[in-house]
Amino acid sequence: MEDGGSVLVETHNNSMSMVDSEASNRLKITFNGPAKSWTDAIPIGNGRLGAMVWGGVPSEIIQLNEDTLWTGTPSDYTNPDAPEALSEVRNLVDNGKYTEATEAAVKLFGNTTEVYQLLGDVKLEFDDSHIPYSEETYHRELDLDTATARIRYSVGDVEYTREHFASNPDQVIVIKISGSKLGSVSFTVSLDSKLDHHCYINGKSQIIMEGSCLGKRIPPKVKAGDNPKGIQFSAVLDLQISEGIGVIHVLDNMTLKVEGSDWALLLLVASSSFESPFTEPSDSRKDPTSESLRALKSIINLSYSDLYARHLDDYQNLFHRVSFQLGKSPNKITNDGSLVINNLMPSANAVYFKGNNDDGVPTVQRIKSFQSDEDPSLVELLFQFGRYLLISCSRPRTQVANLQGIWNKELKPKWDCAPTLNINLEMNYWPALPCNLSECQEPLFDFIKHLSVNGSKTAQVNYQASGWVAHHRSDIWAKSSASGGKVKSALWPMGGAWLCTHLWEHYNYTMDQDFLENEAYPLLEGCTSFLLDWLIEGPEGYLETNPSTSPEHSFIAPDGKIASVSYSSTMDMAIIREVFYAVIAASEILGKNKDALVQKVRVAEPRLYPTRIARDGSVMEWVKDFEDPEVHHRHLSHLFGLFPGHSITIEKNPDLCKAAENTLYKRGEDGPGWSTTWKIALWACLHNSEHAYRMVKHLIKLVDPDHEIAFEGGLYSNLFAAHPPFQIDANFGFTAAVVEMLIQSTLNDLHLLPALPRDKWMNGSVKGLRARGGLTVNIRWKEGDLHEVCLWMKNGRSLHRLHYRGITVTTNISSGIIYSFNAHLKCVNACSIPKEGFL
């Protein structure tokens, strides 16, 4: 194809021919030594099972997680005394006694959340010859393109390699250990756990570990007769060695020893007795050991090559949907003359930099040098790492991604590792839709359904309201009531409402009407019913929320004391406004616009308390212009309407956008990782590329796990994002925020490169992003200017307005056709897509 001409549609085989070592190296996180801390280790996962690979030489530890291992049992999330307490708090707020209202609000608390647990460890011990290994030969890497962790080192004239991957189709963690000389592989292997457990040998080549989680959170306060049975678990490790060479010994009925093999293959499967949030572990019909052995039996005859091929096919079907490249100068980018589309799933290897030696530079050094060299390829790597993590910790039929995804090493993890609904859980799923990973959202939708069951009881008993409600923190048991702790965080009944915006967004991106009708709308209806009952008429005639908080933040009350409870916080109103819009729009699509509920929403929506501007020109966070005791607070709750909401836009609300800008200046640039990435997205929505990039640079700073400072953000050596400690939300938030810098969309509008830092990312391309309205988007730019855009959709037909630097063009997009536009948004080509090209 001529440069700037029609779009090239490649076959799968043609794409594969473009893969080379340079391309592969661009998607690797590398290390030149074993992990010294947990955040040096390599995360792998299949959605349900996770592992952290340390890469030790004389001895190795591979830490394991299984996503259903939690303390506790199903609980009652209702409080019959809450209505009286609610009335008391509301009266105090109405009388302007905000400090007293904050103190009284503790009466609305329920029990606290349960705690995510670890599974255990695979422990490998090699013979003494490995102690003086050749350190200069050591290499450890995570290859994002293949979701494989590899370790390579030499002992004398023998090169050893280890490969690790977590297979989703076969639900197994696979480890292969090889030596370059015959009979050179010898080691012992055992399983261990911090949880109550026991291990034993099954046959001559399997280790079984059985154990249980506590039925009460840590520390357990167990009285006589009050010791509920917690979730039971089992892990089975199967060991295979080269045929006819080497031997396996059984040691002390808990350890296996390999001597003189060419290679060894370890298969780790695990299961638990968890059935659902509503089933007591003591009533579970699941036998974890039987399930694990059954899973192992189904794959025991598959070779390593077969297992790896099945893993790759499954993983790359998702990962290869989006490719991304950046460059400061045009001579560093391969000029393929087009936006290549490979079966609508562009290979991450199809476009690459020339002459890049990233494979030889440990990632930790690249993080350290970013403040000076601003290497755009590290931005690419961090962007794709977010997609890798989402694929690895959230798949259909798994649990929702928690505060650390699925990777946890503690019995008492920070903040219980619990899904936190006042930003963190939602941020985990921000990249799913725009980054072409909609399937990874399914656990979130399952979680919302479970919350709605418990939340309907909480709404009815605690608040005497219809519908369903959820608060700021939950767990595997779908806790819906306010947790214990501090009022400023716990008393926040908007968690379920924020989650419901994800249901509407899923429809916006996929245009899946069956999903909208059968899954999304019933949950939206229930949430809306609660919100309508929760709203009360205030003194100014507006519908208001009382009590109301702005997540985790406080204000100085008129009496000079610190308080957190008032009414109608800006975030409350923004979320309710978003839900009401979704219900009205969905009802029109589904022919339900005459329903009584929808009619109530139409009446209520204009009466919601409006977003207002404070005396200092910032967006007011609370209904009153209270003094802020912590102006650099990490949360940006009052800017929800700008992002991820849609009620504040440059086109419709220039005054509020200016106030949002002032708010961001006021908040400052410091804060934990997730706050930093939220700021990237917010600045991008204001089309401010300079400040969006400043926050990108702010995030990419190395954190020393031995000297970390709370709330300062940054990255660990393995690219995990720091709060500190590690929280995975910032990894996901970064990936989503970069998309906002490249494209922004509504159902009918697509803004191209709205916040591209032209002098930092002068040249580049992105392929396979999704936009609202069902569009898939490929973009290429040169010298900071748009060069080519390609659009297509799988089903239907749409009228879209394309926007780029003051140019607006309206175009019809029909399914089955790919449209190519030049820098002036002129359609220069339209061609049919082969049937095999559709996802």
Side-chain angles (χ1 to χ4, degrees):
M1 179 190 106
E2 293 296 319
D3 189 32
S6 62
V7 174
L8 173 63
V9 180
E10 290 194 342
T11 66
H12 180 71
N13 290 334
N14 285 341
S15 171
M16 292 302 291
S17 69
M18 301 183 71
V19 177
D20 70 1
S21 60
E22 285 183 287
S24 179
N25 288 344
R26 297 195 58 74
L27 291 173
K28 290 181 179 179
I29 301 171
T30 60
F31 309 81
N32 60 5
K36 295 179 181 179
S37 65
W38 188 77
T39 51
D40 295 330
I42 292 173
I44 59 173
N46 64 12
R48 183 178 66 87
L49 294 173
M52 294 291 283
V53 181
W54 285 57
V57 178
S59 61
E60 164 68 313
I61 184 171
I62 300 167
Q63 294 170 312
L64 305 172
N65 288 104
E66 202 273 355
D67 70 351
T68 63
L69 299 192
W70 284 74
T71 64
T73 62
S75 186
D76 179 5
Y77 303 113
T78 64
N79 176 6
D81 297 327
E84 183 179 349
L86 177 63
S87 179
E88 177 187 357
V89 172
R90 281 180 167 170
N91 286 333
L92 290 168
V93 169
D94 286 342
N95 291 315
K97 298 181 178 180
Y98 306 116
T99 307
E100 293 86 343
T102 302
E103 294 170 352
V106 297
K107 300 174 184 177
L108 292 167
F109 286 0
N111 53 332
T112 192
T113 52
E114 292 297 338
V115 187
Y116 182 54
Q117 300 289 271
L118 44 75
L119 173 57
D121 303 321
V122 176
K123 293 185 174 181
L124 302 172
E125 298 288 340
F126 296 87
D127 58 47
D128 290 345
S129 69
H130 281 60
I131 296 175
Y133 73 98
S134 177
E135 293 185 12
E136 65 272 13
T137 66
Y138 187 96
H139 179 76
R140 182 166 56 99
E141 68 179 30
L142 170 60
D143 184 349
L144 302 184
D145 187 58
T146 61
T148 306
R150 299 187 183 92
I151 298 160
R152 182 179 68 247
Y153 61 91
S154 294
V155 176
D157 60 350
V158 180
E159 182 178 76
Y160 289 94
T161 58
R162 303 181 207 156
E163 293 185 310
H164 317 69
F165 63 90
S167 168
N168 176 263
D170 293 314
Q171 290 297 299
V172 61
I173 292 174
V174 180
I175 305 166
K176 185 176 182 181
I177 304 171
S178 307
S180 62
K181 280 193 171 183
L182 296 178
S184 60
V185 174
S186 300
F187 62 91
T188 63
V189 58
S190 60
L191 295 179
D192 195 9
S193 178
K194 295 179 181 178
L195 292 172
D196 182 35
H197 75 285
H198 65 279
C199 296
Y200 60 94
I201 302 298
N202 183 43
K204 297 181 179 180
S205 61
Q206 289 181 352
I207 305 174
I208 296 179
M209 178 171 68
E210 297 173 335
S212 61
C213 300
L214 290 169
K216 295 263 187 184
R217 63 171 286 128
I218 304 165
K221 296 180 179 179
V222 180
K223 300 177 182 178
D226 183 23
N227 187 14
K229 182 179 181 181
I231 294 171
Q232 309 295 295
F233 69 86
S234 177
V236 179
L237 186 141
D238 181 82
L239 175 62
Q240 304 172 23
I241 61 174
S242 50
E243 187 174 353
I245 302 177
V247 63
I248 300 175
H249 299 287
V250 176
L251 307 180
D252 61 29
N253 200 36
M254 292 188 295
T255 305
L256 295 176
K257 182 177 182 180
V258 175
E259 284 188 321
S261 182
D262 293 347
W263 53 263
L265 184 63
L266 288 72
L267 305 179
L268 189 286
V269 296
S271 183
S272 86
S273 62
F274 177 79
E275 285 191 28
S276 83
F278 316 115
T279 303
E280 292 279 351
S282 59
D283 295 333
S284 174
R285 296 160 296 179
K286 293 176 64 178
D287 179 352
T289 299
S290 297
E291 290 214 350
S292 296
L293 289 171
R294 191 159 47 246
L296 191 59
K297 183 178 180 180
S298 68
I299 61 172
I300 200 72
N301 293 321
L302 293 176
S303 68
Y304 177 80
S305 296
D306 290 337
L307 289 166
Y308 194 58
R310 288 158 63 91
H311 158 70
L312 278 186
D313 183 62
D314 167 79
Y315 170 77
Q316 292 183 338
N317 174 59
L318 296 169
F319 187 75
H320 278 183
R321 292 176 183 176
V322 172
S323 65
F324 180 43
Q325 71 164 78
L326 292 173
K328 291 183 178 179
S329 60
N331 61 3
K332 280 193 134 184
I333 299 178
T334 296
N335 185 2
D336 63 357
S338 70
L339 287 177
V340 177
I341 298 166
N342 168 36
N343 293 349
L344 298 196
M345 293 181 3
S347 170
N349 294 322
V351 183
Y352 53 89
F353 280 60
K354 292 180 177 178
N356 191 293
N357 296 314
D358 291 340
D359 191 37
V361 181
T363 302
V364 66
Q365 295 300 326
R366 298 176 65 192
I367 300 171
K368 287 179 179 178
S369 64
F370 187 82
Q371 295 301 311
S372 57
D373 65 28
E374 300 182 54
D375 177 12
S377 65
L378 185 58
V379 174
E380 298 171 39
L381 185 65
L382 188 57
F383 171 88
Q384 292 287 24
F385 184 54
R387 297 184 67 247
Y388 164 82
L389 290 175
L390 186 58
I391 295 169
S392 301
C393 75
S394 185
R395 293 290 201 102
R397 297 173 300 282
T398 70
Q399 299 303 307
V400 71
N402 64 44
L403 206 57
Q404 293 183 185
I406 50 175
W407 298 279
N408 163 50
K409 65 183 176 72
E410 306 285 355
L411 290 178
K412 301 180 182 180
K414 193 70 172 176
W415 303 296
D416 303 334
C417 229
T420 307
L421 280 57
N422 64 14
I423 176 62
N424 313 101
L425 177 59
E426 290 86 357
M427 185 178 281
N428 283 1
Y429 288 93
W430 281 358
L433 291 166
C435 290
N436 220 333
L437 297 173
S438 61
E439 300 95 323
C440 293
Q441 282 197 129
E442 289 188 25
L444 178 65
F445 300 150
D446 293 338
F447 182 64
I448 297 172
K449 291 174 192 173
H450 295 150
L451 278 176
S452 72
V453 174
N454 284 334
S456 63
K457 300 171 187 175
T458 302
Q460 181 180 2
V461 175
N462 292 26
Y463 301 131
Q464 297 179 334
S466 60
W468 65 276
V469 64
H471 291 72
H472 100 290
R473 188 180 294 175
S474 189
D475 53 28
I476 198 170
W477 308 108
K479 174 179 167 54
S480 54
S481 59
S483 295
K486 297 180 179 179
V487 171
K488 64 182 180 181
S489 54
L491 185 61
W492 191 73
M494 293 292 126
W498 190 346
L499 289 177
C500 278
T501 66
H502 285 249
L503 299 165
W504 174 239
E505 287 285 51
H506 185 82
Y507 170 77
N508 284 339
Y509 278 89
T510 65
M511 308 304 288
D512 184 343
Q513 191 162 324
D514 286 340
F515 169 84
L516 182 64
E517 182 171 12
N518 298 316
E519 293 194 54
Y521 197 74
L523 291 167
L524 278 165
E525 278 187 312
C527 174
T528 301
S529 292
F530 170 77
L531 294 175
L532 288 169
D533 285 351
W534 181 247
L535 288 164
I536 54 179
E537 186 168 339
E540 298 178 64
Y542 291 111
L543 292 179
E544 299 173 351
T545 57
N546 178 6
S548 174
T549 58
S550 190
E552 302 185 25
H553 201 12
S554 300
F555 56 86
I556 300 177
D559 61 6
K561 297 179 180 179
I562 300 295
S564 56
V565 174
S566 62
Y567 63 98
S568 301
S569 71
T570 300
M571 189 185 216
D572 277 10
M573 293 297 109
I575 291 176
I576 295 171
R577 194 171 284 114
E578 207 77 23
V579 172
F580 281 4
Y581 173 81
V583 166
I584 292 171
S587 71
E588 292 173 349
I589 294 166
L590 300 175
K592 297 176 180 290
N593 52 329
K594 301 295 185 184
D595 289 2
L597 178 76
V598 178
Q599 295 305 308
K600 289 180 181 179
V601 171
R602 289 186 185 277
V603 172
E605 193 277 333
R607 299 181 62 201
L608 295 176
Y609 203 94
T611 302
R612 290 183 170 172
I613 299 173
R615 288 166 293 178
D616 63 3
S618 65
V619 174
M620 283 174 56
E621 185 166 359
W622 299 278
V623 73
K624 301 284 188 181
D625 198 0
F626 296 123
E627 185 179 347
D628 190 340
E630 190 181 353
V631 294
H632 297 148
H633 193 267
R634 59 197 174 275
H635 280 259
L636 289 306
S637 305
H638 44 320
L639 297 187
F640 177 94
L642 178 63
F643 185 89
H646 310 282
S647 58
I648 300 176
T649 67
I650 288 177
E651 295 80 11
K652 295 179 181 179
N653 317 93
D655 291 346
L656 285 175
C657 284
K658 179 62 179 176
E661 182 178 289
N662 292 337
T663 303
L664 286 167
Y665 283 124
K666 182 178 177 181
R667 273 294 196 257
E669 297 183 351
D670 294 331
W674 60 263
S675 179
T676 302
T677 60
W678 196 356
K679 290 170 186 173
I680 298 171
L682 289 164
W683 280 117
C685 288
L686 294 172
H687 295 188
N688 190 318
S689 59
E690 177 187 354
H691 277 85
Y693 182 77
R694 279 174 63 90
M695 298 313 300
V696 168
K697 193 172 179 181
H698 192 79
L699 179 72
I700 306 179
K701 295 179 180 178
L702 186 67
V703 176
D704 180 351
D706 294 326
H707 301 92
E708 59 189 27
I709 302 173
F711 303 106
E712 283 207 354
L715 300 175
Y716 296 104
S717 66
N718 65 358
L719 291 188
F720 270 169
H723 187 290
F726 162 57
Q727 278 189 197
I728 203 168
D729 41 26
N731 288 105
F732 297 135
F734 178 81
T735 300
V738 168
V739 174
E740 293 298 313
M741 297 172 74
L742 301 176
I743 65 169
Q744 293 171 23
S745 65
T746 68
L747 281 172
N748 301 111
D749 291 271
L750 177 63
H751 294 263
L752 304 165
L753 307 180
L756 178 74
R758 299 172 62 192
D759 58 332
K760 305 296 183 181
W761 303 343
M762 291 180 62
N763 303 276
S765 72
V766 64
K767 305 177 184 182
L769 295 182
R770 299 299 298 272
R772 293 174 181 86
L775 290 183
T776 303
V777 184
N778 289 1
I779 309 175
R780 183 156 58 103
W781 61 96
K782 290 184 177 180
E783 299 293 342
D785 291 321
L786 180 67
H787 184 69
E788 185 181 6
V789 182
C790 296
L791 307 174
W792 70 94
M793 60 193 307
K794 183 177 179 181
N795 296 309
R797 181 185 182 91
S798 73
L799 190 68
H800 260 76
R801 291 181 294 271
L802 310 183
H803 304 267
Y804 177 68
R805 290 193 189 167
I807 303 173
T808 299
V809 171
T810 302
T811 182
N812 279 299
I813 306 294
S814 297
S815 62
I817 299 175
I818 184 158
Y819 299 84
S820 179
F821 301 84
N822 64 18
H824 304 289
L825 302 186
K826 179 182 178 181
C827 186
V828 295
N829 192 272
C831 61
S832 298
I833 302 173
K835 289 183 179 179
E836 64 270 17
F838 288 115
L839 294 175

